[in-house]
Amino acid sequence: MSISAAFFAQAQDVSVIRNTVEAYSTTPMVGSAKFNAMGGSNGALGGDANSLLTNPAGLGVAISGEVSGTLSISGNKNSSSMAGSTLDYSKTRGDLGNVGGIIAFPLTQTSESGWKFINIGINFSNQSLDNEIHSPGNNNIIYDFSATDPTKGAAMSGHSYQRYGNVSKMSFGVGANYNHNLYVGAGLNFFNASIDQYDTLGYRNLMTNSVSLFSKQDTPFFERSSGFSASLGVIGKLSPNFRLGASLETPTFWSIDRTYQFYNDPNYGDDMGAENRKFTSPLKATVSAAFVASKNFSLNVDYTLGLTKPDYKVYGPAEREYNDFFKDNYKNLSEVRVGAEYRIKQFRLRGGYAYQSSPFDALTVSRFNDAGVSGDQSYSNLLLSDRNTASVGIGYDFKSFYIDASYQNITSKYSNPFMRGYIDGNFDTAYYSSTQIAQSDTYAVSEVKNTRNNFFLTLGWKF
């Protein structure tokens, strides 16, 4: 499937597409150290507040109260390569990753009722969105800023996408236990996101070697957003050792307030603008299976599938083009998570793995190759790609108190398009410096390897 020129002329920004998927369509999955060590897989196990991240019916599995807090240390590294050169970016950030609690209410037992517990849970999950992609330059990609003055010729010297912010999910839920065989639950989820996005292109003058920096039209932009969703779930025991679970989370209904810098407007010149967008993320379903061999070993598998596609409320051509792009090129996102725990007296050993599929079909764009020659190229991993997560963890149970630690390694590789933007009638997606305008109807594309190394430490109290 090719991306039409009209799409990027009207829809403005590659980074908007990436943020639509990464920030607004993917639920934050930073839980406790135990949850993260098991790959985020607990949909049929439940038993703590992190059930609100996968299946609220898991709240009903708990038979005692619990509260915990988790410190996260997130390391992010990008290696971006093009034309034989590579630029690296790395950043480490500490934050409060997760706080959760559950209160268990035993019910009075009568011969007429099999309900054992009604439990209330609350969970807060916080995830960093910080990411910088610094692509190297290519001396073979030349731009003539003046057709008559050869001293104005310049080579593309590099590009940066810079994103700073975070997304959080606050969930409230209730779960019930029927005869220790059937568990049902429901939750309400409230989201907040903060995104500061920059798109900067560099050109080096061929005569003076001085470098000028250009910002894409309507960038930088700053978004402050809120949203809500609801979830329902059920877990059933097929036998004392086997459980099955299923849950459904409604789309998240986002309200996105944005301010942005615009340039060269015929009436206002260079100034700031503001707008509001309404966005609906995909509906998600999760099915789970768990094997509990004994009190010492448990294994869980989750499979999550997006049932619908991202959708913007249409206010004009930009939102319409976004929706057309996602309708034609977005694949329903799926993820498999597997996690296991083994107990040796009071010690806990855990491991997990997760695989998330690529969100887009193969896409064809016009791009410059390393020799600076333009032509069409098909990419199977343009913008974003599939993602692999491997995790391990340990813990120690002091009866009333416990401490857990875990490590995650997340990797992905994708092709990163940039530089394309030009003025076409009423649509302006060009790049601007304080004195010049840079236009291109062709992309440059770098290859990005992203590696995230995350550490988590959880302290908890059971009561």
Side-chain angles (χ1 to χ4, degrees):
M1 179 68 69
S2 63
I3 303 179
S4 68
F7 168 70
F8 279 111
Q10 297 178 19
Q12 303 287 331
D13 204 330
V14 168
S15 57
V16 173
I17 304 172
R18 185 176 283 126
N19 293 345
T20 297
V21 176
E22 285 193 318
Y24 296 120
S25 297
T26 303
T27 299
M29 291 292 284
V30 176
S32 67
K34 173 185 176 181
F35 178 87
N36 300 328
M38 296 177 65
S41 177
N42 76 344
L45 287 176
D48 59 31
N50 284 168
S51 298
L52 288 165
L53 294 174
T54 55
N55 185 347
L59 296 174
V61 177
I63 58 174
S64 64
E66 180 182 334
V67 63
S68 70
T70 301
L71 172 68
S72 67
I73 301 175
S74 303
N76 184 25
K77 179 180 179 180
N78 284 321
S79 294
S80 182
S81 301
M82 187 177 68
S85 299
T86 300
L87 288 179
D88 291 334
Y89 154 83
S90 60
K91 182 178 182 179
T92 301
R93 172 178 169 176
D95 211 338
L96 179 65
N98 185 268
V99 177
I102 190 168
I103 301 176
F105 296 95
L107 300 179
T108 302
Q109 304 302 309
T110 68
S111 59
E112 291 82 14
S113 175
W115 294 103
K116 306 298 184 182
F117 286 88
I118 293 289
N119 301 334
I120 296 174
I122 181 172
N123 192 78
F124 172 79
S125 181
N126 182 51
Q127 183 172 313
S128 172
L129 296 174
D130 290 3
N131 195 37
E132 298 185 28
I133 308 170
H134 300 292
S135 298
N138 185 343
N139 291 328
N140 294 321
I141 300 177
I142 306 298
Y143 186 76
D144 293 319
F145 284 93
S146 172
T148 59
D149 186 352
T151 65
K152 298 294 180 65
M156 195 275 291
S157 63
H159 177 271
S160 293
Y161 286 118
Q162 297 167 282
R163 182 180 68 194
Y164 308 103
N166 68 287
V167 58
S168 64
K169 178 182 181 181
M170 174 68 81
S171 301
F172 303 88
V174 59
N177 174 338
Y178 183 80
N179 207 31
H180 300 297
N181 285 314
L182 178 67
Y183 310 90
V184 294
L188 291 175
N189 312 296
F190 301 92
F191 297 82
N192 284 281
S194 171
I195 297 176
D196 297 346
Q197 182 76 53
Y198 299 80
D199 184 337
T200 308
L201 180 65
Y203 278 102
R204 178 182 57 83
N205 185 279
L206 296 176
M207 301 294 291
T208 66
N209 283 327
S210 62
V211 175
S212 298
L213 298 180
F214 295 74
S215 291
K216 190 174 180 67
Q217 179 68 278
D218 296 336
T219 72
F221 63 78
F222 311 94
E223 294 180 346
R224 302 298 180 263
S225 311
S226 60
F228 68 92
S229 70
S231 53
L232 296 170
V234 61
I235 298 172
K237 283 186 178 181
L238 300 183
S239 73
N241 301 111
F242 290 96
R243 304 177 188 179
L244 293 179
S247 64
L248 190 70
E249 183 173 350
T250 70
T252 301
F253 302 96
W254 287 95
S255 176
I256 304 171
D257 291 318
R258 167 194 281 212
T259 58
Y260 58 93
Q261 177 73 50
F262 62 82
Y263 309 94
N264 200 37
D265 184 89
N267 296 316
Y268 302 101
D270 297 349
D271 206 344
M272 295 292 293
E275 64 183 8
N276 175 268
R277 279 179 174 158
K278 305 296 183 184
F279 172 71
T280 303
S281 74
L283 170 72
K284 302 180 184 72
T286 299
V287 292
S288 309
F291 174 64
V292 183
S294 65
K295 291 184 178 180
N296 294 327
F297 178 76
S298 60
L299 173 70
N300 190 90
V301 180
D302 293 340
Y303 175 70
T304 298
L305 178 66
L307 302 179
T308 58
K309 298 187 177 186
D311 182 72
Y312 282 93
K313 182 177 180 180
V314 174
Y315 293 102
E319 292 87 5
R320 186 175 296 108
E321 294 293 343
Y322 282 132
N323 290 342
D324 289 343
F325 172 79
F326 287 117
K327 179 181 178 181
D328 293 338
N329 303 294
Y330 182 84
K331 295 190 297 187
N332 288 353
L333 204 62
S334 64
E335 184 174 16
V336 177
R337 302 182 297 275
V338 182
E341 179 185 64
Y342 183 70
R343 299 181 179 184
I344 307 172
K345 295 184 178 180
Q346 291 172 271
F347 284 97
R348 309 288 187 258
L349 301 177
R350 304 177 179 112
Y353 172 78
Y355 172 80
Q356 186 179 87
S357 65
S358 174
F360 299 116
D361 292 318
L363 298 167
T364 299
V365 296
S366 175
R367 61 88 180 96
F368 289 109
N369 63 17
D370 289 350
V373 179
S374 64
D376 287 347
Q377 176 70 45
S378 179
Y379 295 90
S380 61
N381 61 344
L382 196 70
L383 300 168
L384 292 168
S385 72
D386 56 356
R387 186 181 69 194
N388 292 274
T389 302
S391 53
V392 294
I394 59 174
Y396 191 86
D397 190 346
F398 295 92
K399 302 302 182 182
S400 294
F401 294 90
Y402 61 88
I403 182 171
D404 296 319
S406 64
Y407 162 74
Q408 278 183 339
N409 175 260
I410 306 172
T411 57
S412 65
K413 296 180 181 180
Y414 56 90
S415 300
N416 174 52
F418 60 91
M419 196 178 78
R420 188 177 191 274
Y422 56 90
I423 302 173
D424 180 17
N426 293 326
F427 298 105
D428 181 355
T429 60
Y431 284 83
Y432 289 83
S433 73
S434 57
T435 58
Q436 295 175 304
I437 303 174
Q439 302 185 61
S440 174
D441 59 2
T442 301
Y443 286 102
V445 180
S446 60
E447 299 300 322
V448 180
K449 178 181 179 181
N450 177 252
T451 304
R452 297 175 185 265
N453 293 297
N454 302 326
F455 298 87
F456 305 94
L457 181 66
T458 296
L459 297 177
W461 173 49
K462 293 184 288 187
F463 55 91

